[in-house]
Amino acid sequence: MIAASTIQEVREQVAQWKRAGLTVGLVPTMGYLHEGHASLVDKAREMCGKVIASDFVNPTQFGPNEDLEAYPRDFDRDCALLEAHGCDLVFHPSVEEMYAPNAATYVEILDEMPKQLCGKTRPIHFRGVCTVVSKLFNIVQPDYAFFGQKDAQQLAIIRRMVRDLSFGVQIVACPIVRESDGLAKSSRNTYLNPEERQAALCLSKAVFAGQAAAEEGQRDAKALLKLMTGIIEAEPLARIDYVSAVDGETMLPADELTDGVLVAMAVYIGKTRLIDNFIVGGLK
């Protein structure tokens, strides 16, 4: 596996691969990889001639009081996982390589989409996501890019950005990967102590209960959210940021649980903010 730290290295390697007629898949990550990321690399390996993963903790998507400095990092461990899953190149740039001094250009969706769900408490987050992902698309010029459903709002926003800006990349959505007890895989799970780790299961319990109710025919979003909220509120260490049902494309509130509706949550377990979700009718 090639480890590249500069934009020029990536561009030269991709140009060589494309001259050989190979398709290129991109898996954007912030590092500290787990089996969820590995599943994205596996899907990219299945669909593409060559696979690139980015490993970059993007500062522009963190607010002033968020966990940028504390965000876990272990590049050697990341490389071992990526190589084991057949990644061909890892792009691990410095902040200075990705953002020029006094950089002042951002990519932002100017409607209600990024203001919903996580955007209510993280107002600059999706501007940072769109900016760094658009930069990665410009650098790599991938044929396909792979994102996980766990970050469902991010996935919807990136799809919208790709459509609006006519990027020549196909977005591939991949299912949530869970621990054996149901907790969604997340780099932030490492912040949890043993008691908090057990408490965090209230998220997946609420998701599974909501999913089962929807599959059994529940169509009233308010009733479903009440069921799920009750499960989370029964856990003393949990503090709800939101539990919401929204249109899976616009992120606007949904009253009826039709196919494609996203039921999503963000919950603090102690100081750690975790997210989970399901899509009525399954991932599209």
Side-chain angles (χ1 to χ4, degrees):
M1 183 178 69
I2 300 163
S5 59
T6 69
I7 293 168
Q8 188 62 28
E9 287 175 274
V10 175
R11 284 180 166 158
E12 288 176 358
Q13 184 59 69
V14 170
Q16 182 181 321
W17 287 337
K18 292 206 167 186
R19 282 195 299 270
L22 297 167
T23 56
V24 175
L26 172 66
V27 179
T29 86
M30 291 214 304
Y32 212 73
L33 306 181
H34 51 66
E35 288 88 345
H37 300 103
S39 73
L40 303 181
V41 176
D42 291 344
K43 187 65 176 177
R45 178 79 279 158
E46 177 189 316
M47 292 180 62
C48 304
K50 293 291 181 180
V51 178
I52 294 177
S54 62
D55 189 313
F56 177 64
V57 181
N58 175 41
T60 66
Q61 67 193 67
F62 287 82
N65 300 312
E66 293 181 346
D67 57 347
L68 173 60
E69 296 307 319
Y71 196 85
R73 297 161 169 87
D74 189 337
F75 184 58
D76 290 342
R77 177 176 166 275
D78 292 346
C79 285
L81 182 145
L82 290 170
E83 194 154 24
H85 286 264
C87 183
D88 297 289
L89 184 151
V90 57
F91 178 40
H92 184 56
S94 64
V95 173
E96 294 73 24
E97 179 70 10
M98 284 297 283
Y99 293 101
N102 303 317
T105 303
Y106 294 91
V107 178
E108 189 170 10
I109 293 176
L110 296 177
D111 74 356
E112 295 303 307
M113 224 182 153
K115 299 176 186 176
Q116 310 303 311
L117 304 182
C118 289
K120 288 182 179 179
T121 53
R122 306 186 73 192
I124 68 165
H125 176 69
F126 291 113
R127 183 184 75 171
V129 169
C130 286
T131 300
V132 77
V133 171
S134 64
K135 287 174 72 68
L136 289 168
F137 287 171
N138 282 330
I139 293 163
V140 176
Q141 299 287 308
D143 299 287
Y144 301 90
F146 299 81
F147 294 88
Q149 185 206 323
K150 185 171 75 71
D151 296 295
Q153 185 177 15
Q154 171 180 279
L155 174 60
I157 284 171
I158 287 168
R159 280 176 160 158
R160 173 73 176 273
M161 179 187 78
V162 165
R163 186 202 75 179
D164 288 358
L165 296 183
S166 305
F167 279 108
V169 57
Q170 183 173 327
I171 303 301
V172 180
C174 300
I176 295 173
V177 175
R178 298 183 179 276
E179 304 282 0
S180 58
D181 59 6
L183 183 67
K185 297 267 188 183
S186 171
S187 301
R188 288 189 169 93
N189 291 347
T190 59
Y191 298 163
L192 303 170
N193 65 35
E195 185 184 8
E196 290 169 338
R197 172 64 181 74
Q198 187 62 31
L201 293 177
C202 69
L203 279 85
S204 54
K205 287 175 183 174
V207 163
F208 298 152
Q211 212 165 10
E215 287 171 1
E216 288 164 10
Q218 176 61 267
R219 287 294 173 260
D220 182 349
K222 188 175 180 181
L224 185 90
L225 297 177
K226 183 178 179 181
L227 166 72
M228 295 173 65
T229 299
I231 293 170
I232 298 165
E233 288 178 339
E235 171 49 62
L237 296 183
R239 177 169 59 88
I240 293 173
D241 182 353
Y242 66 81
V243 181
S244 302
V246 299
D247 181 283
E249 293 184 3
T250 67
M251 300 290 111
L252 294 176
D255 295 324
E256 188 180 355
L257 298 169
T258 54
D259 281 1
V261 164
L262 168 67
V263 181
M265 65 180 68
V267 178
Y268 285 93
I269 304 294
K271 295 181 179 179
T272 304
R273 186 177 182 275
L274 302 176
I275 59 174
D276 205 341
N277 68 78
F278 74 92
I279 296 172
V280 178
L283 181 63
K284 304 295 187 231

